[in-house]
Amino acid sequence: MKTIKLSGLFIATALIAFSCSKPADTVETSEAQEVAAAEGKTLEIVPDATTIAWRGYKPAGQHFGKIPAVEGTLAVKGEEITGGKFTFDITGLKIEDMEETDESYGKLYGHLQSADFFDAENHPNATFEITSVEPFNSGDVIADVEQFETDNTPLSSSELSPENPTHWISGNLTMRGTTKNIKFPAAVSLENGAVVAKAGFNIDRTAWGLAYGDEASAVDKAKDKFIYNTVSLSLDVKASE
């Protein structure tokens, strides 16, 4: 496994060059890979500071919110991160674009928890487990995928990414009983003995079986009767002793 050297995190990262090298996908999705061996000191996540923010899109609007972390660890050996695993509570999902007291909130929450989406009754948690970490080099490119244009076209990968990524992080993301390996850019730093990581990227929800309203099956997209397969995720992680 390639690991993070934390000492380099205090040096200003180079500007991203968008025209000099072969593009690297923001999220390279593949089959599950071998989990990194977690060696060294174990840091515990700070639940209040560790969340996944999500945003879903359809031509007629957007919904967004957060999924809380319930447990997780990050392994650090010397100045290197060697592994980590985080668990998120799907049943604790929050919708932030409407009031919880609204009838619409309950309907949307119930639909997201149902078998149409997360199937939370059978799969109440989502997990992310690190498989490798590589430096984000000055010539690396965050590639954007063309989306069907509407008033609510999903945010691009480059818009979601941290301003100055320091590393590419790969890991196994498990949702709804399906595990896929994803790779995305992240900004990682060491602050007062705690490791802080921020990332933002898009995934194709249908790869994990969240296929309700699959835009690929929309017969006539001009009718706007579909939900974008693209879901934006923003990951904030803080771990300390």
Side-chain angles (χ1 to χ4, degrees):
M1 169 188 174
K2 296 180 180 179
T3 54
I4 297 176
K5 288 192 174 298
L6 293 176
S7 58
L9 298 174
F10 294 99
I11 303 173
T13 56
L15 294 175
I16 302 171
F18 285 95
S19 59
C20 300
S21 63
K22 181 179 177 181
D25 291 337
T26 299
V27 170
E28 297 175 1
T29 305
S30 60
E31 296 306 308
Q33 298 180 17
E34 183 178 355
V35 173
E39 301 176 354
K41 183 188 305 182
T42 299
L43 305 181
E44 299 287 337
I45 67 161
V46 180
D48 291 345
T50 304
T51 59
I52 291 180
W54 59 270
R55 183 178 294 269
Y57 310 84
K58 56 184 179 180
Q62 304 179 23
H63 292 297
F64 56 88
K66 287 188 173 67
I67 301 174
V70 290
E71 61 182 4
T73 58
L74 197 63
V76 178
K77 184 177 182 180
E79 296 181 341
E80 300 176 346
I81 288 178
T82 62
K85 182 178 180 179
F86 315 102
T87 301
F88 298 88
D89 178 15
I90 296 298
T91 65
L93 177 148
K94 297 294 184 183
I95 304 164
E96 298 183 329
D97 58 282
M98 59 180 70
E99 297 293 333
E100 279 193 59
T101 53
D102 289 352
E103 181 180 354
S104 297
Y105 186 105
K107 288 181 178 180
L108 178 57
Y109 175 85
H111 197 195
L112 291 173
Q113 299 291 312
S114 76
D116 283 344
F117 287 98
F118 287 106
D119 191 16
E121 182 177 358
N122 295 307
H123 307 286
N125 294 321
T127 61
F128 180 76
E129 198 159 10
I130 293 173
T131 56
S132 69
V133 181
E134 305 168 70
F136 188 99
N137 298 312
S138 61
D140 287 349
V141 174
I142 298 171
D144 292 329
V145 177
E146 185 177 351
Q147 301 276 357
F148 183 73
E149 291 288 338
T150 68
D151 290 339
N152 291 283
T153 304
L155 294 170
S156 68
S157 298
S158 56
E159 288 177 299
L160 291 164
S161 173
E163 185 175 353
N164 291 308
T166 57
H167 294 83
W168 291 101
I169 295 180
S170 298
N172 293 331
L173 175 62
T174 301
M175 296 188 296
R176 198 186 158 104
T178 297
T179 302
K180 297 288 184 179
N181 192 271
I182 60 174
K183 180 180 179 179
F184 53 85
V188 186
S189 61
L190 182 63
E191 300 176 2
N192 299 320
V195 175
V196 176
K198 294 182 179 293
F201 51 92
N202 287 322
I203 63 168
D204 180 344
R205 63 189 171 91
T206 63
W208 287 267
L210 286 75
Y212 181 84
D214 183 352
E215 68 174 291
S217 64
V219 177
D220 184 357
K221 283 190 175 180
K223 294 179 180 178
D224 292 344
K225 300 298 183 182
F226 69 93
I227 300 172
Y228 280 99
N229 292 348
T230 297
V231 174
S232 298
L233 299 179
S234 296
L235 179 65
D236 282 271
V237 173
K238 182 175 182 179
S240 60
E241 294 186 67

